[in-house]
Amino acid sequence: MKFLKYIYGSALMATVALAFASCSDDEASSKLSPAVVPSSITLNLPDDLQKLVYTDANGASCLPLIKGQQVTLPYTLTPDSATFKDVTWSSSNTDVATVDDNGTVTAVNGNDYSLIEVAPVGIYAGSGINASLKVVVANEMIKATSVNITSSKDEVYAGDTLHLSASILPNNSTYKTVQWSSSDESVATIDANGVLTAKTSSKIITPVTITATTYDGSEVTGTKTINVRQIVQPQDISLDQTYSADNNYLFALNEKSVDLKYTTTPAECTTSLIQWTSSDNSIATVDNGTVTFKGFGTVTITATCPETGKSSSIKLNIPAGLLRETFHNENNYIFHDAGQSGSGTKTSTTWHDGYITITTYSQNSTTQRADIKCYGLPIYLHVGNYPILAIKMDDVKDKGATSRNINIDSKAVDSNGTEYKALLGGNNKYVHDLKCSDGSHVFIYDYSATTAPKNDWLKFSLFQIKYADMKGLSHQIQYNLYWIQTFKSLSDVENYLKNVDGLSYTTVK
């Protein structure tokens, strides 16, 4: 650097001296041109190398090379008018790869990497202007054995794009990129980065096969079929009224959402064009037919065809105090084991359509426990509307326990901020125990006998069913939990068992 400064300074002095000898000071100044500083430098890999470059887990661009392979890395320095155009090349690990003054990289030793960098020289070397590439060297080519293509969806509309990804096995394959191709480019094209562009065609739905082929000569490929759908305006729509409040259907706030069913004319239309509205977004919102519950009350959901203006509506009712957990949605249930452990054991939950199976943990050598916790807090109950809490589950006394304790542990506030703790607390405080014909039990609690207000909702920040002190058990056991619901009366519970569950029962308590 000092040497270059000296040369630059000496050359400048010589120029100035020559100017004094031949012209005036003003004339000399007008003929001196300012130095043009480099602003950027970019590596421009040829296509045969660029297609092999992949991005690693740290976001670095990586070029795989085989031991002994040589490649030259072209670059562009901007602007073209830069005064100083010389560059210097460097390798962070010359045991892995070296680079000469011409940018020719030689892969020396495999199973490691080296960072190859190019930067301007001279007085601009410390400017931070550089370009780099991570060169990953393998001692020998490891070829692919399989390619798997994935995407966020299997259908795309004409004019839209969809990104596809290809994963190659084994994980240590040398080349980690693929060549993409489409079975019909009049239906969809796909670029080198796996971005598919759907085209307009005469058919409403046209399948196209996308193929990913490895570059290592193994001829291993992966394929995926994508359906390209044309945009077809919906002319009419009819919402299914199964869940309508007019048909006396009620939703529980804890159920969170519902996907409305509907039919359209034509049947194969672009349903994303349908416009959805809610009469009260504080009660429920709607997006593409999925209704999300926000509060209590009655709300009207409307779907409209924008081209014709034809519409269809459904009225939904989410009453205050209704709690319903029936385990019919694997991705959305709020009650399960409390995650307890002891004596080298722990609780667990297995979901089944319509119930869950809970495994206990060992409190000690003769006692098991497995509480049921609500994870969907807050939940809202209303003693005036739905005073009956019913829990349908197995009684572990039927599974060998000599005794057990069931206790409702809770904490809630009303709309005025008044706090209520353990309203149904105490061991075995259920008012009824019904044994059903399938062997399960329904334990029934009555909130109307508590101090909770009858004309207000209760917001629960803790709700846990303690299922503890299962005596006489020397090993972990399992029990089933079928549902947890609130009802208006005991007779409603009995009707539910008879008409919905299809069960008869006997009264234990």
Side-chain angles (χ1 to χ4, degrees):
M1 176 69 76
K2 291 180 179 179
F3 178 70
L4 287 171
K5 286 183 177 179
Y6 175 78
I7 293 176
Y8 181 83
S10 299
L12 180 60
M13 291 176 63
T15 303
V16 172
L18 180 60
F20 274 125
S22 59
C23 59
S24 67
D25 289 347
D26 291 341
E27 290 174 332
S29 298
S30 66
K31 291 182 179 181
L32 288 175
S33 299
V36 178
V37 180
S39 60
S40 68
I41 188 166
T42 307
L43 288 173
N44 302 315
L45 298 184
D47 291 343
D48 62 330
L49 295 181
Q50 186 62 50
K51 69 183 183 183
L52 303 178
V53 174
Y54 65 93
T55 302
D56 68 8
N58 296 317
S61 294
C62 303
L63 174 64
L65 297 178
I66 309 299
K67 181 179 179 180
Q69 186 178 357
Q70 284 190 326
V71 296
T72 299
L73 306 179
Y75 69 91
T76 299
L77 187 67
T78 57
D80 292 338
S81 58
T83 304
F84 303 98
K85 295 188 177 182
D86 291 336
V87 297
T88 124
W89 292 88
S90 63
S91 168
S92 66
N93 191 343
T94 56
D95 291 335
V96 175
T98 60
V99 60
D100 64 17
D101 292 341
N102 297 316
T104 299
V105 178
T106 301
V108 177
N109 195 23
N111 304 322
D112 207 342
Y113 70 88
S114 175
L115 194 67
I116 305 299
E117 184 177 270
V118 58
V121 298
I123 60 174
Y124 303 109
S127 65
I129 300 171
N130 61 72
S132 62
L133 180 68
K134 188 175 180 178
V135 171
V136 181
V137 178
N139 283 325
E140 60 181 3
M141 174 72 75
I142 299 177
K143 294 187 175 183
T145 56
S146 68
V147 178
N148 182 48
I149 301 176
T150 58
S151 61
S152 61
K153 52 187 177 182
D154 298 331
E155 186 173 274
V156 62
Y157 283 102
D160 289 346
T161 59
L162 177 66
H163 184 256
L164 284 74
S165 300
S167 56
I168 298 175
L169 290 179
N171 292 328
N172 62 343
S173 297
T174 303
Y175 291 165
K176 302 184 185 300
T177 55
V178 295
Q179 180 179 11
W180 294 96
S181 61
S182 167
S183 63
D184 190 342
E185 294 197 343
S186 68
V187 177
T189 59
I190 189 164
D191 66 14
N193 298 314
V195 177
L196 178 146
T197 301
K199 301 293 188 68
T200 301
S201 64
S202 58
K203 295 182 179 179
I204 294 178
I205 301 178
T206 307
V208 62
T209 300
I210 302 300
T211 301
T213 305
T214 56
Y215 285 115
D216 57 16
S218 63
E219 298 184 356
V220 172
T221 62
T223 61
K224 185 176 181 64
T225 299
I226 300 294
N227 288 324
V228 175
R229 181 183 286 272
Q230 302 305 304
I231 296 177
V232 178
Q233 287 285 347
Q235 302 299 306
D236 201 358
I237 185 169
S238 177
L239 296 182
D240 184 278
Q241 298 296 311
T242 300
Y243 299 133
S244 173
D246 293 333
N247 290 328
N248 299 317
Y249 192 91
L250 303 175
F251 282 101
L253 183 61
N254 70 278
E255 291 174 319
K256 298 181 181 180
S257 66
V258 62
D259 293 324
L260 297 179
K261 297 178 181 179
Y262 56 89
T263 56
T264 60
T265 304
E268 296 292 345
C269 67
T270 307
T271 57
S272 60
L273 296 175
I274 297 169
Q275 297 172 348
W276 296 88
T277 57
S278 167
S279 63
D280 191 336
N281 286 328
S282 67
I283 297 175
T285 59
V286 61
D287 181 23
N288 201 28
T290 297
V291 178
T292 301
F293 307 138
K294 300 292 185 179
F296 307 123
T298 301
V299 62
T300 299
I301 304 298
T302 301
T304 303
C305 301
E307 187 172 80
T308 63
K310 292 184 177 181
S311 64
S312 180
S313 298
I314 184 173
K315 185 188 295 183
L316 306 180
N317 189 3
I318 306 103
L322 177 59
L323 174 70
R324 182 165 60 215
E325 177 60 87
T326 56
F327 303 106
H328 284 294
N329 186 340
E330 183 178 8
N331 300 314
N332 177 26
Y333 57 92
I334 63 174
F335 286 92
H336 56 87
D337 74 275
Q340 299 158 304
S341 61
S343 304
T345 63
K346 61 181 180 180
T347 61
S348 62
T349 294
T350 303
W351 178 86
H352 311 272
D353 188 9
Y355 68 98
I356 59 173
T357 299
I358 298 177
T359 301
T360 63
Y361 82 97
S362 299
Q363 288 183 269
N364 54 53
S365 60
T366 61
T367 308
Q368 296 290 307
R369 179 172 182 171
D371 294 353
I372 303 162
K373 184 176 180 179
C374 178
Y375 290 88
L377 298 170
I379 58 171
Y380 295 83
L381 302 182
H382 194 295
V383 175
N385 293 344
Y386 292 90
I388 301 299
L389 173 71
I391 306 162
K392 184 173 186 285
M393 63 182 180
D394 293 335
D395 189 343
V396 294
K397 289 198 296 183
D398 296 336
K399 295 179 175 291
T402 56
S403 63
R404 46 83 181 124
N405 286 318
I406 305 173
N407 188 326
I408 307 295
D409 189 15
S410 63
K411 182 164 60 177
V413 295
D414 60 23
S415 61
N416 296 315
T418 303
E419 188 173 82
Y420 300 85
K421 292 184 178 179
L423 281 168
L424 298 174
N427 290 330
N428 306 318
K429 296 296 184 181
Y430 47 86
V431 295
H432 297 288
D433 173 6
L434 308 181
K435 185 169 184 179
C436 302
S437 54
D438 64 353
S440 66
H441 288 247
V442 178
F443 299 99
I444 299 173
Y445 293 81
D446 188 354
Y447 272 101
S448 65
T450 69
T451 60
K454 308 301 185 289
N455 60 348
D456 196 5
W457 50 254
L458 291 175
K459 179 181 178 181
F460 285 79
S461 59
L462 169 67
F463 197 95
Q464 185 161 317
I465 303 166
K466 293 183 177 180
Y467 205 1
D469 305 321
M470 302 174 185
K471 300 292 185 179
L473 298 173
S474 60
H475 59 278
Q476 289 177 276
I477 65 169
Q478 294 180 329
Y479 70 90
N480 293 332
L481 172 63
Y482 298 92
W483 48 253
I484 300 174
Q485 300 186 71
T486 55
F487 295 88
K488 289 183 176 295
S489 63
L490 176 60
S491 61
D492 283 351
V493 179
E494 296 169 340
N495 288 334
Y496 188 93
L497 288 173
K498 177 181 178 181
N499 299 320
V500 179
D501 285 355
L503 299 174
S504 59
Y505 62 89
T506 57
T507 301
V508 179
K509 177 180 177 180

